[in-house]
Amino acid sequence: MRVRRGLSLGLLGIALVLLVAPWARAQQPQAPVREITKLAGEVYRFRNNNHYSVFAVTPAGVITTDPIDAAAARWLKGEITTRFNQPIRYVVYSHDHADHISGGEVFADTALVVAHAHAKAAIIGEKRLTAVPGVTFSDALTIELGGTVVELTYVGKNHSDNSIVMRFPRERLLFAVDFIPVNSYAFRDFPDAYMPDWIESLRRVEAMDFDVLVPGHGPLGTKANVIMFREYLQDLRDEVQRYAREGKSLDEIKRLVTLPKYAAWNPKDWFPLNVEGMYRLVQANRRGN
């Protein structure tokens, strides 16, 4: 009996190891996916998992954009030093949201931090874990360093009240974060969003001169993607508003609004959240009977 009992406990232990081992492996933190790719001229795109920023290398130093987080910023700073042997002179925040601009202090030893004035107010007020901008602007600001020009423009409220676009005129690139996704639905239920201002901000981007759209998430695009996303927001707003005026409930509207023109977009589970968020925004700006 003792032998059998020992054998049973041994087998049980092996079984527990076999069961626990895959779980333990699954709990191991995954190394972030980080890479640098050249876009045009001396402008590069930096990837940290599903977040992206851009930077330009000049003979007088580097202009970089969203640090993303402190660990990503340290990695990027090290890579820029190793590959280009240039100091970072400017870091430009696209807007105030923490998932894009955390870690700015990593660059602050050599760089001026630039952002929209509303972004600075939000960064201070929300106690974002990043460097506070030392240079702010309201409408537009041009940075020129070592022969490279970056035009910063505030196009109005959209995904925040302080999002800016960054245009590299010589390379014909436009960096815009979160408010112009490429073949993708808007983020969840439109948190921190302004409508119809968002639609008007996209019209202003459409009037700008560029070839390649560089978003803060996902694949590269073109001006056609700006137009399509603006049309999506208009179509979504019109449909949701129409059903709201008919007295439909939110649950009914989520079933009725389908917009098949955009059915190939992802993530699929964001579309009903987009409907829900648009309903909230529409209802906030109308007075029903």
Side-chain angles (χ1 to χ4, degrees):
M1 289 296 292
R2 290 175 184 169
V3 173
R4 289 180 181 175
R5 184 176 297 158
L7 182 60
S8 298
L9 289 173
L11 291 174
L12 178 61
I14 293 171
L16 286 172
V17 168
L18 292 174
L19 286 171
V20 170
W23 178 87
R25 287 195 299 270
Q27 298 304 304
Q28 295 299 315
Q30 298 295 310
V33 177
R34 293 179 179 138
E35 60 187 8
I36 292 171
T37 56
K38 190 168 187 174
L39 293 175
E42 293 304 317
V43 179
Y44 298 80
R45 195 183 196 200
F46 165 51
R47 176 188 180 189
N48 185 75
N49 292 332
N50 66 334
H51 286 69
Y52 292 86
S53 64
V54 299
F55 64 91
V57 180
T58 85
V62 174
I63 304 168
T64 190
T65 60
D66 293 346
I68 302 175
D69 62 43
R74 285 192 292 269
W75 184 90
L76 179 60
K77 186 176 185 178
E79 290 295 309
I80 288 174
T81 300
T82 300
R83 298 187 190 200
F84 307 106
N85 193 29
Q86 289 287 356
I88 297 170
R89 296 302 186 193
Y90 293 93
V91 54
V92 185
Y93 296 161
S94 62
H95 61 312
D96 76 281
H97 293 168
D99 65 313
H100 289 275
I101 65 156
S102 295
E105 71 279 359
V106 173
F107 300 137
D109 58 336
T110 60
L112 288 173
V113 180
V114 183
H116 191 269
H118 293 168
K120 179 176 180 178
I123 289 165
I124 294 172
E126 302 290 344
K127 299 179 175 61
R128 305 285 192 223
L129 298 178
T130 194
V132 174
V135 177
T136 62
F137 65 98
S138 296
D139 299 315
L141 179 70
T142 297
I143 296 174
E144 186 171 357
L145 182 69
T148 293
V149 172
V150 186
E151 297 173 352
L152 314 180
T153 305
Y154 178 61
V155 293
K157 298 177 180 179
N158 39 64
H159 175 68
S160 75
D161 71 347
N162 57 77
S163 297
I164 63 172
V165 297
M166 310 176 204
R167 191 174 79 95
F168 297 79
R170 183 175 61 191
E171 294 80 10
R172 302 189 60 78
L173 302 171
L174 186 83
F175 181 51
V177 177
D178 283 354
F179 77 100
I180 320 177
V182 174
N183 297 330
S184 171
Y185 298 113
F187 180 67
R188 298 187 181 277
D189 64 344
F190 294 105
D192 197 13
Y194 299 80
M195 204 74 65
D197 308 69
W198 196 327
I199 294 168
E200 293 308 310
S201 76
L202 293 171
R203 292 188 189 279
R204 296 185 185 102
V205 174
E206 290 171 36
M208 301 177 83
D209 186 22
F210 67 95
D211 293 329
V212 179
L213 171 67
V214 186
H217 302 278
L220 302 176
T222 66
K223 190 175 292 188
N225 295 107
V226 183
I227 296 169
M228 183 173 289
F229 188 70
R230 190 250 305 159
E231 291 174 345
Y232 166 70
L233 290 183
Q234 288 177 305
D235 291 345
L236 180 62
R237 184 172 185 270
D238 290 348
E239 284 288 278
V240 170
Q241 183 169 262
R242 176 167 70 88
Y243 286 124
R245 286 173 171 168
E246 291 177 4
K248 298 290 192 295
S249 69
L250 173 58
D251 286 341
E252 289 174 315
I253 292 173
K254 288 171 75 172
R255 289 194 298 270
L256 290 166
V257 176
T258 57
L259 300 185
K261 177 180 176 181
Y262 312 100
W265 286 8
N266 285 299
K268 303 301 182 187
D269 56 345
W270 283 7
F271 180 69
L273 291 173
N274 279 195
V275 175
E276 184 174 329
M278 187 64 78
Y279 176 82
R280 184 189 72 249
L281 294 169
V282 164
Q283 292 296 74
N285 291 283
R286 66 178 287 268
R287 181 175 179 177
N289 292 322

